[in-house]
Amino acid sequence: MTCGGADIGMAMAKDERVGLLSFTGSTHVGKQVAMMVQERFGRQLLELGGNNAIIVFEDADLSLVVPSAVFASVGTAGQRCTTTRRLMLHESIHDEVVERIAKAYKQIRIGDPWDPNTLYGPLHTKQAVQQYLAAIEQAKQQGGTLVCGGKIMDRPGNYVEPTIITGLPHNASIVHTETFVPILYVLKFKTEEEAFSWNNEVKQGLSSSIFTKDMGRVFRWLGPKGSDCGIVNVNIPTSGAEIGGAFGGEKHTGGGRESGSDSWKQYMRRSTCTINYSKDLPLAQGIKFE
């Protein structure tokens, strides 16, 4: 393990002895890494940002939806690449789900992340706290309504309140920005086409999920006109089930795949091998070697 700052990462990206560079981090830094590695014709595996959505239809089982949305949005204090950042609710169930999730937020066990009973710990830096406050302010300016949270907690460490914001348009710039903090943007939709389109319109394409009992809708979601993400879930949240799968995403998420069925394709070199076990060499056409 090598610890350090950007100087260490840059040295690894530029070093031709590194055959494959696997990078996990922001899209901004990932672009720089990709260009440095490509410049020397090296190989890269990028696992970058995620602006993940859960879509909840009118026929969904809300006893699954509520704990799923809560776990995926506040687990690891929103500092997980598969964290749910957008919750899209059908207009017929929007108010009920928001009310139930807000009630659950008030019961979240907050404390020392080393304690196994803790669900929600601190942010990793003071800078993250400032990003949290800035995102909330932008959301308000763009038409969002604060349902709960939105403040720094009065306790030692970088603790902030888990936050829910409603009322924003699906294409608001803050909704399209991955802020690595526990803010959940709740959007209201009317049709399946609308929801699928909103899921795909962000630049990132890591994880996605729908909750429904309609099998036709499930196959449309899994098909070419459904989710454009690398992880496409049904009736489970965007995080928590990806361990062991071919983990990674599309678009600004980088396109790489770690672990699971695709990992050998990324980490190994593939060679085409031809073995001639005869005494003939049937290669040249029209040439006699005498």
Side-chain angles (χ1 to χ4, degrees):
M1 178 181 290
T2 302
C3 297
D7 55 336
I8 300 296
M10 185 177 296
M12 293 177 67
K14 292 184 174 181
D15 196 324
E16 293 191 357
R17 293 172 298 176
V18 180
L20 168 69
L21 188 69
S22 176
F23 174 79
T24 299
S26 70
T27 298
H28 173 71
V29 177
K31 286 181 179 179
Q32 299 177 45
V33 170
M35 292 177 67
M36 282 186 253
V37 176
Q38 181 59 42
E39 190 174 30
R40 61 178 176 85
F41 290 102
R43 298 169 62 200
Q44 74 242 345
L45 196 167
L46 303 176
E47 201 281 283
L48 309 176
N51 194 342
N52 316 296
I54 290 178
I55 302 172
V56 184
F57 288 93
E58 63 274 20
D59 64 340
D61 184 345
L62 298 189
S63 66
L64 294 176
V65 169
V66 174
S68 293
V70 172
F71 171 81
S73 58
V74 305
T76 330
Q79 301 167 111
R80 190 170 181 169
C81 52
T82 52
T83 291
T84 297
R85 309 201 181 278
R86 297 177 295 151
L87 178 62
M88 304 179 190
L89 303 174
H90 188 268
E91 58 183 1
S92 64
I93 57 169
H94 176 275
D95 293 351
E96 178 184 357
V97 173
V98 170
E99 181 181 351
R100 291 175 63 171
I101 291 178
K103 183 179 179 180
Y105 264 44
K106 296 176 182 178
Q107 304 173 51
I108 292 170
R109 296 186 301 276
I110 301 172
D112 183 351
W114 288 104
D115 185 339
N117 293 318
T118 297
L119 174 64
Y120 183 91
L123 297 182
H124 61 299
T125 62
K126 295 293 184 184
Q127 182 183 10
V129 175
Q130 294 306 311
Q131 291 174 343
Y132 165 87
L133 294 173
I136 292 172
E137 186 59 34
Q138 289 180 52
K140 290 179 180 178
Q141 293 175 1
Q142 294 172 28
T145 300
L146 198 66
V147 174
C148 65
K151 300 177 183 177
I152 297 175
M153 300 182 70
D154 185 18
R155 60 189 301 165
N158 302 321
Y159 285 86
V160 299
E161 295 177 342
T163 302
I164 300 172
I165 296 176
T166 61
L168 284 165
H170 66 94
N171 56 356
S173 61
I174 190 61
V175 174
H176 282 229
T177 302
E178 182 198 22
T179 308
F180 219 58
V181 295
I183 299 176
L184 180 65
Y185 303 112
V186 182
L187 311 175
K188 184 188 297 186
F189 71 89
K190 295 181 179 181
T191 67
E192 175 185 305
E193 292 76 16
E194 196 173 52
F196 286 6
S197 174
W198 295 359
N199 177 78
N200 297 344
E201 70 182 2
V202 297
K203 291 183 177 180
Q204 303 86 354
L206 180 54
S207 188
S208 58
S209 176
I210 64 168
F211 282 78
T212 185
K213 297 174 185 175
D214 185 331
M215 290 307 298
R217 177 178 290 136
V218 167
F219 283 104
R220 290 190 293 274
W221 171 245
L222 300 176
K225 294 184 179 180
S227 173
D228 65 356
C229 296
I231 300 172
V232 185
N233 294 336
V234 177
N235 293 330
I236 57 171
T238 57
S239 64
E242 67 274 4
I243 297 174
F247 184 86
E250 301 299 319
K251 302 186 294 188
H252 283 213
T253 302
R257 292 295 186 276
E258 298 170 336
S259 71
S261 60
D262 278 24
S263 61
W264 68 272
K265 298 178 183 177
Q266 302 279 353
Y267 285 98
M268 297 179 70
R269 182 180 67 248
R270 301 183 71 184
S271 300
T272 300
C273 304
T274 303
I275 302 174
N276 181 15
Y277 57 86
S278 74
K279 295 182 179 181
D280 299 320
L281 191 64
L283 299 178
Q285 293 179 327
I287 302 176
K288 295 182 180 180
F289 296 90
E290 296 178 345

